[in-house]
Amino acid sequence: MTNEYDVDSKHHLTAAQGASLASGPESAGHSQGKKLRARHVTMITLGGIIGASLFVGSANIIRNTGPAAVLSYAAGGLLVFLAMRMLGEMAAARPAVGSFMEYARVGLGSWAAYIVGWLYWYFWVGVIAYEAVVGGGMLHNWFPVLPAWAGSLALLAVFVGTNLISLRTFGETEFWLASIKVIAIVVFLGAGVLYVLGLWPNASFSVSNLWAHGGFMPNGIGVVLSSIALVLFSYFGTEIAVMAAAESENPAKGIRQAANTVIWRVMLFYVGAILVIATIVPWSELPKPSDIAPFTYVFSLFGVPGADVIMGLVIFTAVISVLNSGTYSASRMFAALAEQGLAPAVVARRNRKGVPVVAVVASTVGGLIATLVNFIAPSSGIYDFIMNSTGLVALFVYVFIAVTQWRMRTKMTSDERADLKLKVWLFPWLNIILILGAIGIVTIMLFSEDGRTQVWTSLIAAGALVLFWPVVRKRLGQQEGWQKDLLEKEAPAPATVEVRQ
């Protein structure tokens, strides 16, 4: 029995796939080299999303929203959980490194894979540039003799290296970088709970900070809802779990675990940390993140010696961890696009260790260009445009995931649905909730100047891709024609019977 998630012509090969098979394991070898282990997949996911947005940016959410920021983070996490569950259902049945891009191709067509795949790659190239700029600035603050631009380039060089050596090297590097962040958050949560309950030295019971300073929701429900849009982008990156699990030792099991457990861990870290901060420090007294990061401030209240130095190192680790995992995500998506004929075929080539070398280098070059623009022409607005125009990518991806899973599920027979190892509950109502939630967030964004900028610049970036689609579609048609001719040439000639007179 053929599962709907496997609906794809066995004879359909893109030019990139054909070239890959023709050139042997050096190109096609997804299975070459050591695979990722379960611990790698978990930490890669956490590493991709636990960054400066939590350790630093969360202060802005709390200062604007009040203690109800907890609700914003919980609501945003719920939407991401729904998307992960839908993606997990598809991925458990059909593991693929290209993840949702591949499922969009099967469920909706090549046009959907083209749009969502390129937007996702574009998003992570922007992340690579952003984290390199932030990391370079931190290095400059610590070592003034080192220019910020030199620090940024050095970081790009280091992490393109970790990604090029081997898949396992990337995974091991990310495991230890992410572990530092996780340990810091666990210590923060443990000490924070003791502090809130008055069980920490020089601390008093402070749960009342959640309502004693203008109420739990001092600035109204509107601010809580508008903050969800900002929070959602902090969570974006959980889908890396499915991409990494597809390159693990047990893809199906890894994907099920990722879809079921990773999002809960992420929500625990985010929602738990926000709750601790809002309970320990009155929301109106929390310093600006430009003055001191919220985690650093709270650790100083704990009386931890050298809290600013320790958290500075943790934040730097968070920055380079996201840079590392962002390079991985961008390169895998770029390679997956090439394998489907949606990017130059050479990008799909892998070395004997299974690393898509060209995709890694090309993605890093994209980040490098954006980084250099920031230093060479900071007033040009190009860097700001790149950062703003990735604002809706998370919502685009989640909507595509919801629609694709809906389309695939409706095509399945009852027996095929019963055979699914991972299911989305309350189908299709959760799909509808996710889609309406995404539309609602875009609507909310239109009411703020920064939000409108992100919406319009994101639409411009998506519109540019749409303009090139006719060219790509024509190229795909040519590839299918070449493949059809190749199959006809290789097909055995019909047997003939010689009739003797």
Side-chain angles (χ1 to χ4, degrees), residues 1 96 116 129 132 135 165 169 219 225-226 230 262-263 277 306 324 342 360 369 379 402 434 439 456:
M1 181 171 56
V116 74
I165 294 173
T169 300
N219 295 321
L225 294 176
S226 63
L230 300 175
V262 168
I263 186 60
I277 295 172
N324 188 38
L342 300 172
V360 172
I369 293 173
S379 60
L434 179 56
I439 294 173
W456 295 122

Side-chain angles (χ1 to χ4, degrees), residues 186-211:
V186 170
V187 171
F188 180 83
L189 293 176
V193 170
L194 294 177
Y195 193 97
V196 168
L197 297 178
L199 302 177
W200 192 268
N202 302 317
S204 58
F205 191 78
S206 59
V207 175
S208 61
N209 281 333
L210 291 176
W211 62 81

Side-chain angles (χ1 to χ4, degrees), residues 359-383:
V360 172
V361 174
S363 299
T364 305
V365 169
L368 173 63
I369 293 173
T371 301
L372 291 176
V373 166
N374 175 70
F375 291 109
I376 297 174
S379 60
S380 66
I382 297 176
Y383 179 79

Side-chain angles (χ1 to χ4, degrees), residues 8-23 28 30 94 102 105 110 336-342 345 475-487 490:
D8 198 6
S9 173
K10 294 180 180 179
H11 302 294
H12 173 72
L13 290 174
T14 65
Q17 293 168 317
S20 224
L21 293 172
S23 58
H30 290 248
R94 181 188 176 123
E102 169 64 10
R105 183 186 68 83
S110 295
L337 284 166
E339 288 167 359
Q340 298 303 330
L342 300 172
R475 183 169 176 269
L476 285 175
Q478 292 173 342
Q479 291 175 355
E480 291 174 358
W482 297 334
Q483 185 62 35
K484 182 178 179 180
D485 293 341
L486 179 62
L487 290 174
E490 293 180 349

Side-chain angles (χ1 to χ4, degrees), residues 192-468:
V193 170
L194 294 177
Y195 193 97
V196 168
L197 297 178
L199 302 177
W200 192 268
N202 302 317
S204 58
F205 191 78
S206 59
V207 175
S208 61
N209 281 333
L210 291 176
W211 62 81
H213 303 275
F216 179 70
M217 203 177 295
N219 295 321
I221 185 66
V223 179
V224 175
L225 294 176
S226 63
S227 294
I228 296 176
L230 300 175
V231 167
L232 192 64
F233 303 130
S234 299
Y235 284 126
F236 194 53
T238 50
E239 69 291 333
I240 298 176
V242 176
M243 299 175 69
E247 294 192 276
S248 66
E249 295 172 339
N250 190 336
K253 180 181 178 181
I255 288 169
R256 288 196 298 272
Q257 289 180 340
N260 285 324
T261 64
V262 168
I263 186 60
W264 292 113
R265 296 171 186 171
V266 171
M267 288 187 65
L268 171 64
F269 290 153
Y270 268 89
V271 178
I274 300 305
L275 181 60
V276 165
I277 295 172
T279 308
I280 291 177
V281 185
W283 69 274
S284 56
E285 298 177 14
L286 188 65
K288 296 180 180 179
S290 57
D291 296 332
I292 183 172
F295 274 67
T296 305
Y297 181 70
V298 173
F299 266 119
S300 67
L301 295 179
F302 293 161
V304 176
D308 56 339
V309 175
I310 294 172
M311 280 311 303
L313 292 173
V314 171
I315 293 171
F316 181 71
T317 300
V319 168
I320 61 177
S321 172
V322 175
L323 174 57
N324 188 38
S325 59
T327 303
Y328 169 82
S329 302
S331 63
R332 268 31 179 205
M333 182 56 73
F334 204 8
L337 284 166
E339 288 167 359
Q340 298 303 330
L342 300 172
V346 67
V347 177
R349 293 183 62 88
R350 294 173 181 253
N351 62 17
R352 294 191 179 279
K353 293 184 177 180
V355 177
V357 176
V358 177
V360 172
V361 174
S363 299
T364 305
V365 169
L368 173 63
I369 293 173
T371 301
L372 291 176
V373 166
N374 175 70
F375 291 109
I376 297 174
S379 60
S380 66
I382 297 176
Y383 179 79
D384 291 337
F385 176 85
I386 294 173
M387 296 301 107
N388 285 321
S389 60
T390 59
L392 292 187
V393 171
L395 297 177
F396 284 142
V397 169
Y398 294 151
V399 169
F400 269 105
I401 289 174
V403 174
T404 300
Q405 188 270 336
W406 191 345
R407 176 78 178 272
M408 286 183 161
R409 178 77 83 86
T410 54
K411 288 183 177 181
M412 298 173 69
T413 65
S414 57
D415 289 338
E416 290 170 345
R417 289 194 291 270
D419 288 339
L420 288 174
K421 298 291 191 277
L422 188 68
K423 287 185 178 181
V424 175
W425 316 286
L426 301 177
F427 176 83
W429 295 108
L430 294 185
N431 301 67
I432 295 173
I433 290 174
L434 179 56
I435 294 170
L436 292 178
I439 294 173
I441 289 173
V442 173
T443 302
I444 291 171
M445 291 175 68
L446 292 174
F447 286 93
S448 69
E449 184 177 350
D450 290 342
R452 285 193 295 273
T453 300
Q454 290 191 23
V455 169
W456 295 122
T457 52
S458 296
L459 292 177
I460 290 173
L465 285 175
V466 172
L467 290 177
F468 284 101

